[in-house]
Amino acid sequence: MRASVRLRQRALLVAEFRDVYVELVGLMELAARPGTLTMTELQPKAGKELAVSDLFPRVARAAGKAGTAAGDQSRRISVTQFGQTREFAPIPAWQHSLDDPQTLPVKMVLDC
């Protein structure tokens, strides 16, 4: 198989992850994390809980395939907050962007 064909196949797996991730994020909204006053997380919009729970495993499977496909072409994100620097691989860290969007915004995952 030619290298260009392999690259296109790998790109399609990353694009598939992007598409289902965008679909999932579109069903969610920023809300206060329970038990905190200032921390936020992405939670399903009212009435979208079932759709989110159906999409979640699709995003996880697509992220696994996309992370493998991205391989050495994958980028890492360095985020500095409060004097501490954390490094993320955007595709495997997609769930972190839902749980802690202040640290790893959805836009950063999509941009990478």
Side-chain angles (χ1 to χ4, degrees):
M1 182 182 304
R2 293 178 51 194
S4 61
V5 172
R6 280 195 308 273
L7 284 175
R8 267 192 226 101
Q9 289 174 339
R10 291 169 60 186
L12 286 174
L13 290 172
V14 174
E16 180 184 334
F17 162 71
R18 180 204 59 221
D19 293 344
V20 293
Y21 177 72
V22 166
E23 186 178 348
L24 177 70
V25 169
L27 298 173
M28 303 181 91
E29 62 189 354
L30 199 58
R33 186 180 298 177
T36 68
L37 296 174
T38 59
M39 297 180 74
T40 59
E41 67 182 2
L42 289 175
Q43 297 176 354
K45 292 177 182 175
K48 302 294 184 187
E49 296 85 0
L50 186 59
V52 167
S53 68
D54 288 343
L55 266 177
F56 216 85
R58 283 182 54 206
V59 175
R61 281 191 299 274
K65 292 176 185 177
T68 301
D72 59 345
Q73 301 299 314
S74 181
R75 291 197 172 163
R76 296 191 64 80
I77 301 169
S78 292
V79 178
T80 302
Q81 275 186 320
F82 310 112
Q84 294 182 337
T85 301
R86 296 175 70 185
E87 207 171 275
F88 297 97
I91 295 172
W94 69 272
Q95 189 171 349
H96 190 81
S97 70
L98 305 179
D99 298 338
D100 192 2
Q102 292 171 320
T103 303
L104 181 62
V106 169
K107 185 175 179 353
M108 284 181 119
V109 174
L110 291 173
D111 286 350
C112 285

XYZ file of all heavy atoms in Angstrom:
861
model
N 0.842 -1.176 0.000
C 0.000 0.000 0.000
C 0.889 1.242 0.000
O 1.867 1.329 0.733
C -0.908 -0.017 1.233
C -1.846 1.146 1.288
S -2.904 1.190 2.768
C -3.707 -0.371 2.734
N 0.511 2.201 -0.808
C 1.301 3.433 -0.917
C 1.183 4.267 0.359
O 0.178 4.239 1.068
C 0.803 4.236 -2.110
C 1.097 3.510 -3.422
C 0.586 4.244 -4.609
N 1.024 5.633 -4.608
C 0.502 6.556 -5.378
N -0.459 6.244 -6.220
N 0.948 7.786 -5.338
N 2.217 5.029 0.622
C 2.259 5.870 1.827
C 1.134 6.892 1.822
O 0.544 7.178 2.865
C 3.611 6.563 1.933
N 0.812 7.434 0.660
C -0.250 8.446 0.593
C -1.608 7.848 0.954
O -2.429 8.504 1.601
C -0.306 9.082 -0.798
O -0.587 8.103 -1.782
N -1.840 6.618 0.584
C -3.105 5.944 0.918
C -3.177 5.701 2.422
O -4.217 5.926 3.058
C -3.249 4.624 0.124
C -4.457 3.823 0.599
C -3.336 4.899 -1.365
N -2.068 5.255 3.008
C -2.027 5.037 4.461
C -2.269 6.342 5.216
O -3.004 6.367 6.205
C -0.687 4.431 4.871
C -0.599 2.937 4.629
C 0.584 2.315 5.371
N 1.854 2.986 5.133
C 2.672 2.724 4.129
N 2.348 1.801 3.240
N 3.814 3.369 3.989
N -1.673 7.426 4.761
C -1.867 8.726 5.420
C -3.321 9.169 5.335
O -3.879 9.700 6.291
C -0.951 9.785 4.815
C 0.505 9.705 5.246
C 1.342 10.729 4.486
C 0.634 9.918 6.743
N -3.956 8.948 4.181
C -5.371 9.311 4.038
C -6.242 8.487 4.978
O -7.175 9.009 5.580
C -5.830 9.127 2.592
C -5.709 10.379 1.793
C -6.415 10.286 0.449
N -5.484 10.822 -0.525
C -4.727 10.108 -1.340
N -4.811 8.807 -1.373
N -3.896 10.695 -2.157
N -5.948 7.210 5.112
C -6.706 6.352 6.019
C -6.543 6.811 7.463
O -7.511 6.855 8.221
C -6.272 4.894 5.873
C -6.703 4.265 4.579
C -6.136 2.864 4.397
O -5.139 2.485 5.023
N -6.762 2.101 3.527
N -5.314 7.159 7.834
C -5.060 7.665 9.183
C -5.796 8.977 9.411
O -6.392 9.203 10.469
C -3.558 7.837 9.408
C -2.818 6.500 9.472
C -1.327 6.648 9.431
N -0.813 7.436 10.553
C 0.461 7.790 10.660
N 1.338 7.423 9.748
N 0.858 8.519 11.685
N -5.776 9.857 8.422
C -6.467 11.142 8.531
C -7.974 10.946 8.680
O -8.633 11.679 9.431
C -6.166 12.015 7.324
N -8.520 9.959 8.004
C -9.954 9.682 8.116
C -10.331 9.234 9.527
O -11.395 9.602 10.038
C -10.383 8.632 7.093
C -10.459 9.097 5.650
C -10.757 7.924 4.722
C -11.528 10.176 5.487
N -9.471 8.468 10.174
C -9.744 8.044 11.549
C -9.717 9.229 12.507
O -10.549 9.335 13.416
C -8.739 6.972 11.983
C -8.896 5.622 11.294
C -7.738 4.702 11.651
C -10.218 4.984 11.656
N -8.783 10.139 12.298
C -8.722 11.344 13.141
C -9.949 12.222 12.873
O -10.558 12.753 13.804
C -7.406 12.115 12.903
C -7.408 13.438 13.654
C -6.212 11.267 13.329
N -10.352 12.348 11.619
C -11.530 13.146 11.270
C -12.802 12.528 11.851
O -13.703 13.248 12.292
C -11.654 13.279 9.761
N -12.873 11.199 11.881
C -14.039 10.533 12.475
C -14.139 10.864 13.956
O -15.213 11.160 14.471
C -13.935 9.027 12.281
C -15.108 8.262 12.861
C -14.937 6.760 12.750
O -14.215 6.303 11.853
O -15.525 6.052 13.583
N -12.990 10.827 14.654
C -12.984 11.220 16.063
C -13.469 12.657 16.214
O -14.324 12.950 17.034
C -11.579 11.080 16.667
C -11.419 11.860 17.945
C -12.045 11.448 19.105
C -10.669 13.022 17.983
C -11.930 12.177 20.282
C -10.538 13.754 19.139
C -11.170 13.329 20.298
N -12.916 13.557 15.397
C -13.307 14.957 15.477
C -14.816 15.116 15.306
O -15.471 15.828 16.063
C -12.569 15.777 14.418
C -12.927 17.263 14.443
C -12.695 17.949 13.114
N -13.490 17.298 12.084
C -13.057 17.051 10.845
N -11.847 17.381 10.485
N -13.845 16.469 9.976
N -15.386 14.430 14.338
C -16.808 14.573 14.043
C -17.695 14.106 15.201
O -18.634 14.800 15.586
C -17.168 13.816 12.766
C -16.523 14.420 11.529
O -16.054 15.586 11.594
O -16.487 13.733 10.489
N -17.399 12.935 15.780
C -18.248 12.459 16.879
C -17.990 13.267 18.153
O -18.907 13.476 18.945
C -18.113 10.939 17.132
C -18.671 10.141 15.977
C -16.720 10.539 17.463
N -16.773 13.752 18.327
C -16.451 14.603 19.483
C -17.224 15.924 19.393
O -17.827 16.366 20.371
C -14.941 14.844 19.529
C -14.465 15.768 20.623
C -14.462 15.357 21.946
C -13.989 17.036 20.328
C -14.003 16.192 22.941
C -13.529 17.874 21.318
C -13.545 17.456 22.630
O -13.096 18.292 23.619
N -17.257 16.524 18.209
C -18.008 17.771 18.009
C -19.494 17.524 18.246
O -20.181 18.352 18.854
C -17.746 18.343 16.589
C -18.749 19.429 16.231
C -16.329 18.886 16.496
N -19.986 16.395 17.782
C -21.397 16.058 18.000
C -21.701 15.938 19.491
O -22.698 16.452 19.982
C -21.722 14.743 17.285
C -23.180 14.370 17.307
C -23.467 13.081 16.550
O -22.591 12.582 15.810
O -24.600 12.571 16.707
N -20.809 15.280 20.231
C -20.984 15.127 21.675
C -20.961 16.478 22.377
O -21.840 16.789 23.178
C -19.890 14.227 22.250
C -19.904 14.041 23.768
C -21.106 13.210 24.190
C -18.614 13.387 24.236
N -19.977 17.287 22.061
C -19.841 18.594 22.709
C -21.051 19.482 22.395
O -21.485 20.266 23.239
C -18.512 19.265 22.287
C -18.452 20.705 22.722
C -17.330 18.493 22.850
N -21.618 19.319 21.210
C -22.804 20.092 20.842
C -24.021 19.769 21.693
O -24.956 20.571 21.776
N -24.021 18.618 22.327
C -25.133 18.210 23.190
C -24.886 18.575 24.651
O -25.679 18.226 25.516
C -25.353 16.699 23.090
C -25.728 16.155 21.720
C -25.740 14.635 21.742
C -27.067 16.708 21.276
N -23.778 19.278 24.902
C -23.408 19.598 26.278
C -23.295 21.104 26.468
O -23.200 21.850 25.505
C -22.094 18.893 26.628
C -22.156 17.399 26.435
S -20.647 16.562 26.860
C -20.974 16.218 28.571
N -23.322 21.512 27.745
C -23.189 22.924 28.072
C -22.312 23.069 29.311
O -22.207 22.150 30.120
C -24.554 23.563 28.297
C -25.332 22.965 29.455
C -26.763 23.458 29.544
O -27.132 24.348 28.769
O -27.496 22.944 30.386
N -21.706 24.221 29.431
C -20.846 24.524 30.569
C -21.721 24.747 31.798
O -22.694 25.493 31.748
C -20.017 25.772 30.262
C -18.773 26.015 31.076
C -17.806 24.858 30.958
C -18.107 27.292 30.633
N -21.374 24.084 32.898
C -22.145 24.216 34.138
C -21.188 24.089 35.317
O -20.075 23.587 35.181
C -23.214 23.130 34.202
N -21.654 24.540 36.464
C -20.845 24.439 37.678
C -20.683 22.977 38.064
O -21.641 22.202 37.992
C -21.498 25.204 38.814
N -19.471 22.611 38.437
C -19.218 21.255 38.896
C -19.871 21.090 40.266
O -19.700 21.950 41.134
C -17.719 20.999 38.985
C -17.390 19.551 39.308
C -15.923 19.303 39.396
N -15.290 19.586 38.116
C -13.996 19.512 37.911
N -13.193 19.195 38.897
N -13.478 19.771 36.741
N -20.630 20.025 40.472
C -21.289 19.830 41.771
C -20.295 19.868 42.929
O -19.212 19.280 42.848
C -21.926 18.438 41.638
C -22.085 18.234 40.172
C -20.927 18.952 39.537
N -20.653 20.600 43.968
C -19.817 20.684 45.145
C -18.740 21.747 45.087
O -17.940 21.862 45.999
N -18.704 22.519 43.994
C -17.708 23.588 43.879
C -18.413 24.898 43.555
O -19.540 24.908 43.080
C -16.669 23.304 42.777
O -17.314 23.369 41.514
C -16.021 21.946 42.955
N -17.709 25.976 43.791
C -18.275 27.285 43.475
C -17.708 27.865 42.190
O -18.387 28.591 41.479
C -18.011 28.263 44.629
C -18.671 27.922 45.953
C -18.214 28.890 47.036
C -20.179 27.957 45.823
N -16.465 27.557 41.884
C -15.818 28.185 40.734
C -15.439 27.234 39.615
O -15.164 27.667 38.510
C -14.532 28.918 41.186
O -13.653 27.966 41.786
C -14.851 30.028 42.169
N -15.396 25.950 39.868
C -14.981 24.988 38.846
C -16.166 24.627 37.949
O -17.298 24.548 38.409
C -14.377 23.748 39.485
C -13.114 24.064 40.271
S -12.388 22.620 41.030
C -11.683 21.834 39.610
N -15.863 24.393 36.682
C -16.914 24.061 35.729
C -16.628 22.720 35.060
O -15.518 22.204 35.127
C -17.025 25.141 34.632
O -15.775 25.240 33.952
C -17.424 26.481 35.210
N -17.651 22.195 34.416
C -17.536 20.996 33.609
C -18.618 21.053 32.535
O -19.548 21.851 32.628
C -17.683 19.722 34.453
C -19.069 19.522 35.026
C -19.181 18.286 35.904
O -18.180 17.586 36.119
O -20.299 18.017 36.366
N -18.468 20.238 31.535
C -19.501 20.147 30.508
C -20.480 19.061 30.933
O -20.078 17.941 31.257
C -18.894 19.824 29.144
C -18.091 20.956 28.518
C -17.426 20.492 27.233
C -18.984 22.145 28.220
N -21.757 19.421 30.952
C -22.814 18.498 31.328
C -23.826 18.434 30.193
O -23.977 19.402 29.438
C -23.504 18.968 32.606
C -22.594 18.998 33.805
C -23.283 19.562 35.040
O -24.413 20.027 34.987
N -22.585 19.530 36.157
N -24.555 17.317 30.075
C -25.565 17.225 29.018
C -26.618 18.316 29.168
O -27.028 18.651 30.282
C -26.184 15.848 29.233
C -25.172 15.080 30.015
C -24.447 16.093 30.849
N -27.046 18.863 28.030
C -28.142 19.816 28.048
C -29.402 19.082 28.484
O -29.507 17.859 28.345
C -28.354 20.409 26.653
C -27.213 21.289 26.194
C -27.453 21.788 24.784
C -26.288 22.638 24.301
N -26.440 23.043 22.903
N -30.353 19.822 29.000
C -31.609 19.227 29.453
C -32.257 18.444 28.312
O -32.393 18.946 27.197
C -32.552 20.315 29.949
N -32.602 17.202 28.588
C -33.235 16.354 27.597
C -32.274 15.634 26.665
O -32.691 14.835 25.831
N -30.984 15.905 26.777
C -29.986 15.296 25.893
C -29.154 14.224 26.601
O -28.196 13.707 26.033
C -29.037 16.370 25.332
C -29.730 17.463 24.568
C -30.363 16.919 23.310
C -30.979 18.054 22.506
N -31.729 17.588 21.377
N -29.526 13.874 27.815
C -28.738 12.932 28.604
C -28.591 11.571 27.910
O -27.507 10.988 27.897
C -29.365 12.729 29.996
C -29.383 13.952 30.859
C -30.583 14.885 30.617
O -31.429 14.570 29.759
O -30.641 15.924 31.289
N -29.666 11.057 27.341
C -29.621 9.752 26.678
C -28.736 9.799 25.432
O -27.930 8.888 25.197
C -31.027 9.282 26.313
C -31.134 7.879 25.737
C -30.574 6.855 26.717
C -32.581 7.553 25.409
N -28.856 10.861 24.656
C -28.024 11.012 23.454
C -26.548 11.087 23.831
O -25.698 10.491 23.162
C -28.446 12.246 22.667
N -26.243 11.800 24.916
C -24.848 11.912 25.376
C -24.331 10.548 25.816
O -23.227 10.148 25.446
C -24.719 12.953 26.510
C -23.375 12.849 27.211
C -24.923 14.354 25.967
N -25.149 9.810 26.559
C -24.691 8.493 27.019
C -24.520 7.519 25.856
O -23.677 6.627 25.915
C -25.626 7.918 28.086
O -26.883 7.605 27.533
N -25.281 7.684 24.785
C -25.102 6.849 23.590
C -23.834 7.230 22.823
O -23.158 6.365 22.266
C -26.312 6.968 22.660
C -27.549 6.276 23.210
O -27.417 5.439 24.137
O -28.663 6.564 22.721
N -23.533 8.525 22.769
C -22.372 8.996 22.008
C -21.046 8.762 22.726
O -20.010 8.595 22.082
C -22.504 10.497 21.731
C -23.123 10.907 20.411
C -23.239 12.411 20.320
C -22.327 10.374 19.251
N -21.071 8.756 24.033
C -19.839 8.657 24.810
C -18.967 7.466 24.397
O -17.772 7.640 24.136
C -20.178 8.602 26.304
C -19.200 9.322 27.161
C -19.314 10.687 27.375
C -18.151 8.646 27.753
C -18.403 11.362 28.168
C -17.236 9.305 28.546
C -17.362 10.668 28.753
N -19.519 6.245 24.313
C -18.658 5.130 23.898
C -18.189 5.239 22.447
O -17.085 4.786 22.120
C -19.529 3.885 24.104
C -20.899 4.358 24.358
C -20.838 5.796 24.716
N -18.974 5.861 21.585
C -18.544 6.066 20.197
C -17.329 6.979 20.146
O -16.387 6.757 19.387
C -19.676 6.658 19.357
C -20.726 5.654 18.957
C -21.806 6.245 18.082
N -21.272 6.927 16.907
C -21.902 7.907 16.286
N -23.081 8.332 16.703
N -21.350 8.465 15.225
N -17.360 8.052 20.961
C -16.231 8.982 21.010
C -14.999 8.268 21.566
O -13.896 8.416 21.040
C -16.569 10.237 21.846
C -15.354 11.136 21.989
C -17.726 11.001 21.231
N -15.196 7.468 22.604
C -14.062 6.747 23.204
C -13.422 5.789 22.197
O -12.194 5.736 22.086
C -14.531 5.987 24.443
N -14.238 5.037 21.465
C -13.686 4.119 20.454
C -12.977 4.888 19.345
O -11.882 4.516 18.915
C -14.802 3.250 19.868
C -15.199 2.094 20.758
C -16.108 1.115 20.044
N -17.364 1.712 19.614
C -18.456 1.820 20.364
N -18.440 1.371 21.601
N -19.550 2.361 19.889
N -13.609 5.983 18.895
C -12.992 6.791 17.830
C -11.686 7.413 18.310
O -10.722 7.509 17.548
C -13.962 7.866 17.360
N -11.633 7.823 19.575
C -10.401 8.405 20.124
C -9.288 7.371 20.168
O -8.130 7.684 19.884
C -10.653 8.971 21.515
N -9.622 6.137 20.511
C -8.618 5.081 20.530
C -8.025 4.847 19.153
O -6.805 4.769 18.986
N -8.895 4.754 18.161
C -8.424 4.542 16.786
C -7.640 5.757 16.289
O -6.601 5.620 15.644
C -9.603 4.284 15.858
C -10.298 2.972 16.107
C -11.523 2.847 15.210
C -12.318 1.608 15.517
N -13.540 1.528 14.700
N -8.150 6.957 16.589
C -7.497 8.183 16.121
C -6.151 8.391 16.798
O -5.191 8.834 16.168
C -8.400 9.384 16.364
N -6.065 8.074 18.082
C -4.793 8.208 18.786
C -3.722 7.316 18.192
O -2.572 7.716 18.023
N -4.109 6.102 17.847
C -3.177 5.176 17.199
C -2.818 5.672 15.803
O -1.658 5.644 15.398
C -3.798 3.767 17.122
O -4.097 3.330 18.441
C -2.854 2.785 16.459
N -3.829 6.138 15.074
C -3.599 6.611 13.704
C -2.714 7.852 13.683
O -1.874 8.007 12.805
C -4.927 6.905 13.020
N -2.910 8.750 14.648
C -2.116 9.988 14.680
C -0.643 9.676 14.935
O 0.238 10.314 14.357
C -2.652 10.940 15.730
N -0.409 8.705 15.780
C 0.955 8.240 16.036
C 1.958 9.353 16.239
O 1.763 10.248 17.056
N 3.017 9.338 15.468
C 4.087 10.317 15.613
C 3.714 11.687 15.062
O 4.454 12.648 15.238
C 5.371 9.814 14.958
C 5.199 9.525 13.472
O 4.049 9.443 13.010
O 6.220 9.384 12.781
N 2.571 11.796 14.409
C 2.118 13.090 13.909
C 1.332 13.866 14.972
O 0.975 15.012 14.777
C 1.218 12.901 12.672
C 1.887 12.176 11.534
C 3.105 12.905 11.018
O 3.053 14.108 10.812
N 4.192 12.190 10.821
N 1.054 13.210 16.075
C 0.252 13.812 17.143
C 1.033 14.922 17.839
O 2.244 14.838 18.017
C -0.137 12.741 18.157
O -0.930 13.294 19.170
N 0.314 15.931 18.248
C 0.930 17.047 18.992
C 0.587 16.922 20.462
O -0.406 16.306 20.832
C 0.388 18.374 18.475
C 0.858 18.671 17.084
C 0.667 20.111 16.786
N 1.299 20.406 15.504
C 1.048 21.463 14.818
N 0.193 22.344 15.257
N 1.663 21.673 13.673
N 1.368 17.567 21.280
C 1.090 17.640 22.709
C 0.825 19.096 23.051
O 1.389 19.991 22.444
C 2.252 17.084 23.505
C 2.457 15.591 23.213
C 3.405 14.909 24.131
N 3.021 14.843 25.526
C 2.162 13.969 26.046
N 1.540 13.122 25.271
N 1.913 13.961 27.332
N -0.048 19.298 24.021
C -0.433 20.635 24.447
C 0.147 20.867 25.838
O -0.025 20.037 26.724
C -1.967 20.771 24.526
C -2.610 20.479 23.182
C -2.368 22.141 25.032
C -4.116 20.331 23.261
N 0.804 22.002 26.017
C 1.284 22.393 27.337
C 0.400 23.523 27.834
O 0.229 24.533 27.159
C 2.730 22.873 27.279
O 3.585 21.817 26.965
N -0.163 23.327 29.024
C -1.043 24.324 29.623
C -0.456 24.718 30.968
O -0.179 23.856 31.803
C -2.473 23.760 29.821
C -3.371 24.780 30.479
C -3.053 23.299 28.491
N -0.246 26.018 31.156
C 0.286 26.511 32.424
C -0.805 27.278 33.156
O -1.391 28.215 32.612
C 1.506 27.432 32.195
O 2.495 26.697 31.475
C 2.090 27.905 33.504
N -1.083 26.833 34.367
C -2.054 27.499 35.232
C -1.484 27.551 36.641
O -0.965 26.544 37.128
C -3.374 26.721 35.282
C -4.314 27.021 34.172
C -5.643 26.317 34.395
O -5.695 25.186 34.839
N -6.706 26.999 34.083
N -1.600 28.688 37.245
C -1.162 28.854 38.624
C 0.282 28.393 38.823
O 0.629 27.784 39.832
C -2.099 28.110 39.583
C -3.549 28.409 39.361
C -4.404 27.428 38.878
C -4.054 29.671 39.593
C -5.740 27.698 38.652
C -5.397 29.956 39.370
C -6.238 28.971 38.900
N 1.118 28.651 37.828
C 2.526 28.317 37.924
C 2.864 26.855 37.663
O 4.016 26.466 37.743
N 1.876 26.043 37.358
C 2.120 24.634 37.082
C 1.838 24.348 35.614
O 0.830 24.790 35.074
C 1.239 23.739 37.941
C 1.551 23.819 39.413
C 0.672 22.880 40.202
O -0.402 22.490 39.771
N 1.132 22.521 41.395
N 2.724 23.612 34.992
C 2.554 23.252 33.587
C 2.161 21.786 33.490
O 2.793 20.929 34.100
C 3.847 23.501 32.792
O 4.184 24.887 32.903
C 3.673 23.144 31.330
N 1.092 21.548 32.738
C 0.641 20.177 32.476
C 0.685 19.958 30.974
O 0.412 20.861 30.202
C -0.775 19.972 33.000
C -0.857 20.119 34.506
C -2.260 20.033 35.006
N -2.759 18.672 34.857
C -4.006 18.328 35.125
N -4.864 19.228 35.550
N -4.397 17.087 34.972
N 1.015 18.760 30.600
C 1.110 18.429 29.186
C 0.035 17.397 28.843
O -0.197 16.456 29.600
C 2.491 17.855 28.881
C 2.911 18.078 27.462
C 4.351 17.709 27.234
O 5.214 18.558 27.487
O 4.576 16.558 26.806
N -0.641 17.617 27.715
C -1.713 16.728 27.285
C -1.493 16.285 25.855
O -1.059 17.063 25.023
C -3.073 17.454 27.316
C -3.514 17.903 28.671
C -3.288 19.204 29.085
C -4.169 17.038 29.525
C -3.704 19.637 30.331
C -4.587 17.453 30.774
C -4.358 18.752 31.181
N -1.832 15.049 25.574
C -1.982 14.587 24.199
C -3.467 14.774 23.906
O -4.306 14.184 24.592
C -1.583 13.133 24.074
N -3.852 15.635 22.966
C -5.236 16.056 22.833
C -6.247 14.942 22.563
O -7.332 14.962 23.134
C -5.221 17.063 21.699
C -3.918 16.896 21.024
C -2.987 16.254 21.992
N -5.904 13.976 21.740
C -6.895 12.939 21.430
C -7.152 12.046 22.640
O -8.305 11.885 23.047
C -6.495 12.135 20.176
C -6.519 13.044 18.945
C -7.435 10.951 19.971
C -5.960 12.425 17.681
N -6.130 11.477 23.268
C -6.415 10.650 24.444
C -6.995 11.442 25.625
O -7.669 10.866 26.481
C -5.055 10.077 24.823
C -4.203 10.208 23.620
C -4.733 11.385 22.873
N -6.758 12.748 25.666
C -7.231 13.571 26.792
C -8.600 14.191 26.535
O -9.018 15.077 27.273
C -6.213 14.664 27.091
N -9.313 13.718 25.529
C -10.602 14.335 25.174
C -11.563 14.393 26.357
O -12.261 15.385 26.541
C -11.249 13.603 23.997
C -11.719 12.218 24.344
C -11.002 11.072 24.286
C -13.013 11.857 24.821
N -11.751 10.015 24.697
C -13.007 10.459 25.033
C -14.183 12.558 25.100
C -14.108 9.762 25.509
C -15.276 11.861 25.570
C -15.245 10.480 25.760
N -11.604 13.365 27.186
C -12.539 13.364 28.311
C -12.159 14.423 29.348
O -13.021 15.006 29.989
C -12.634 11.992 28.956
C -13.757 11.926 29.972
C -14.016 10.535 30.482
O -13.505 9.555 29.940
N -14.805 10.434 31.528
N -10.870 14.686 29.480
C -10.420 15.733 30.400
C -10.996 17.093 29.978
O -11.294 17.931 30.812
C -8.888 15.779 30.446
C -8.352 16.640 31.527
N -8.243 16.218 32.831
C -7.925 17.921 31.512
C -7.761 17.197 33.562
N -7.556 18.240 32.785
N -11.176 17.284 28.678
C -11.727 18.553 28.191
C -13.190 18.710 28.580
O -13.701 19.836 28.628
C -11.582 18.666 26.673
O -12.440 17.765 26.006
N -13.870 17.611 28.871
C -15.254 17.692 29.347
C -15.288 17.879 30.854
O -16.107 18.639 31.373
C -16.026 16.414 28.985
C -16.052 15.993 27.522
C -16.836 14.704 27.359
C -16.603 17.081 26.637
N -14.399 17.179 31.553
C -14.375 17.232 33.008
C -13.768 18.514 33.559
O -14.146 18.960 34.637
C -13.591 16.040 33.569
C -14.236 14.711 33.214
O -15.442 14.684 32.927
O -13.516 13.691 33.209
N -12.814 19.091 32.840
C -12.124 20.290 33.313
C -11.818 21.221 32.134
O -10.662 21.388 31.739
C -10.838 19.904 34.033
C -10.207 21.054 34.791
O -10.788 22.166 34.799
O -9.120 20.861 35.366
N -12.860 21.828 31.553
C -12.647 22.664 30.368
C -11.830 23.925 30.626
O -11.358 24.549 29.683
C -14.068 22.995 29.912
C -14.922 22.827 31.118
C -14.253 21.765 31.951
N -11.642 24.290 31.884
C -10.798 25.448 32.174
C -9.326 25.115 31.936
O -8.548 25.964 31.526
C -10.996 25.907 33.626
C -12.379 26.484 33.870
C -12.637 26.724 35.339
O -12.266 25.918 36.186
N -13.285 27.828 35.632
N -8.956 23.875 32.187
C -7.572 23.448 31.993
C -7.319 23.058 30.539
O -6.307 23.430 29.959
C -7.242 22.255 32.910
O -7.489 22.637 34.255
C -5.802 21.832 32.762
N -8.218 22.286 29.954
C -8.075 21.826 28.579
C -9.365 22.147 27.822
O -10.293 21.342 27.784
C -7.788 20.318 28.528
C -7.586 19.725 27.138
C -6.377 20.353 26.445
C -7.414 18.225 27.226
N -9.444 23.345 27.232
C -10.652 23.726 26.503
C -10.892 22.844 25.288
O -9.962 22.352 24.647
C -10.380 25.170 26.073
C -9.283 25.647 26.957
C -8.471 24.429 27.300
N -12.155 22.652 24.971
C -12.573 21.865 23.807
C -11.897 22.402 22.545
O -11.429 21.627 21.701
C -14.109 21.888 23.668
C -14.550 21.317 22.338
C -14.756 21.143 24.829
N -11.813 23.706 22.413
C -11.202 24.310 21.232
C -9.756 23.867 21.048
O -9.311 23.653 19.930
C -11.300 25.832 21.312
C -10.798 26.529 20.043
C -11.027 28.016 20.113
C -10.551 28.802 18.942
N -9.805 28.195 17.910
N -9.026 23.705 22.142
C -7.636 23.250 22.030
C -7.568 21.831 21.476
O -6.686 21.510 20.681
C -6.942 23.316 23.385
C -6.542 24.689 23.819
S -5.709 24.605 25.402
C -4.134 25.271 24.934
N -8.480 20.970 21.914
C -8.502 19.599 21.416
C -8.802 19.620 19.915
O -8.139 18.951 19.123
C -9.541 18.746 22.164
C -9.673 17.366 21.540
C -9.180 18.637 23.637
N -9.776 20.422 19.526
C -10.159 20.484 18.104
C -9.058 21.114 17.256
O -8.813 20.679 16.129
C -11.448 21.267 17.938
C -12.693 20.579 18.500
C -13.895 21.509 18.432
C -12.964 19.282 17.765
N -8.396 22.130 17.764
C -7.352 22.798 16.999
C -6.150 21.894 16.750
O -5.462 22.041 15.741
C -6.881 24.073 17.709
C -7.897 25.198 17.611
O -8.875 25.072 16.846
O -7.724 26.198 18.335
N -5.904 20.972 17.650
C -4.748 20.074 17.477
C -5.107 18.894 16.629
O -4.287 18.208 16.116
C -4.232 19.621 18.828
S -3.319 20.925 19.652
